Amino acid sequence: MSEVDYAPDMIEKGRLLFARPFLFTKGCVRIADLPPMDRVEISFAGRSNVGKSSLINALCGTSGLARTSNTPGRTQELNIFESQSENLRIVDMPGYGYAKAPEDKVRQWTRLVHQYLTGRTTLRRVYVLVDGRHGPKDNDLTVMNELDRAAVSYQVVLTKADKPLKADLEKVIEATKAAIAKRAAAHPRVILTSSHKGDGLKELRTEIAMLLES
């Protein structure tokens, strides 16, 4: 679904990185609950219904690693997953944009995420998941603004890219590229994914492997 121009050896490193198991280690409701900053971290952010848990499961090749639910807003903490063989930790951040969540809970999530983004020196990249059927919404752009202010590298991943018609998807891709074009912290490459079909997982794994190499 997206053009691959990575070196073959780096693609293989990405495959091997996720061929070995990741395990859920803990859920953190306070910054003090986080594990030591002793390995490379990447994190995933996105709207509550963007398919974040499904993508993490597909990426790691484990169907039950991240909990999926038909109820938006189920992830209410920083969920930690660690590679059992590599120097890599995945942090699943609470979904945003769920209007029915209590205001005090939303404030708590927002404060937790802000503290995480601004205080984690081992955080190498945030993958901002955007629904491929709709493109960036206002709260997606708000998260990007936060990442820009915190000078945290991020990359947009379009999910559910198998759902829209080709012409509609192309419009979303162009709108997404325009939204990040002048953002200093944004990675220029937009990755298209489908958790259902497995599209884009090779590209995403390769990008993550490149982070470990740099």
Side-chain angles (χ1 to χ4, degrees):
M1 295 180 68
S2 55
E3 182 180 354
V4 179
D5 54 7
Y6 303 103
D9 64 325
M10 192 56 64
I11 294 174
E12 178 63 8
K13 286 180 179 179
R15 186 189 70 80
L16 291 174
L17 177 60
F18 288 94
R20 303 170 183 120
F22 279 73
L23 295 179
F24 171 76
T25 59
K26 64 190 304 187
C28 304
V29 296
R30 301 174 303 165
I31 289 299
D33 297 333
L34 286 167
M37 290 184 279
D38 55 0
R39 58 173 66 194
V40 173
E41 288 181 5
I42 60 171
S43 65
F44 288 84
R47 289 172 57 87
S48 295
N49 58 351
V50 78
K52 185 156 52 69
S53 296
S54 295
L55 182 63
I56 292 173
N57 287 337
L59 180 70
C60 297
T62 307
S63 60
L65 183 63
R67 295 182 304 170
T68 59
S69 173
N70 292 326
T71 304
R74 181 167 179 176
T75 302
Q76 300 179 5
E77 53 197 16
L78 296 171
N79 286 323
I80 311 298
F81 308 94
E82 293 187 348
S83 169
Q84 300 304 289
S85 60
E86 303 293 336
N87 185 39
L88 180 63
R89 176 181 293 128
I90 294 174
V91 180
D92 181 12
M93 295 198 290
Y96 54 82
Y98 182 46
K100 293 184 179 179
E103 288 187 13
D104 61 335
K105 181 66 70 174
V106 172
R107 286 195 297 270
Q108 179 183 336
W109 299 349
T110 302
R111 183 168 59 251
L112 178 65
V113 168
H114 175 79
Q115 291 175 332
Y116 172 71
L117 292 177
T118 56
R120 204 70 179 168
T121 59
T122 47
L123 177 59
R124 296 294 302 277
R125 181 167 297 164
V126 175
Y127 291 94
V128 179
L129 275 50
V130 173
D131 194 318
R133 298 169 297 179
H134 309 302
K137 299 291 188 180
D138 287 345
N139 43 18
D140 296 315
L141 298 176
T142 298
V143 169
M144 293 181 200
N145 291 340
E146 172 88 1
L147 293 166
D148 286 330
R149 284 193 294 269
V152 175
S153 171
Y154 63 95
Q155 186 167 13
V156 173
V157 176
L158 293 178
T159 62
K160 306 179 184 181
D162 58 315
K163 302 295 185 184
L165 297 174
K166 182 177 180 180
D168 293 333
L169 179 60
E170 289 175 352
K171 291 178 182 177
V172 167
I173 294 170
E174 290 307 310
T176 304
K177 289 180 177 179
I180 64 173
K182 296 182 179 180
R183 294 176 177 270
H187 190 289
R189 185 193 297 272
V190 175
I191 301 178
L192 279 63
T193 65
S194 165
S195 300
H196 177 66
K197 293 188 175 181
D199 296 324
L201 297 180
K202 177 168 65 177
E203 290 87 340
L204 184 53
R205 289 168 180 153
T206 304
E207 288 281 352
I208 296 169
M210 290 169 65
L211 289 176
L212 290 179
E213 291 283 302
S214 61

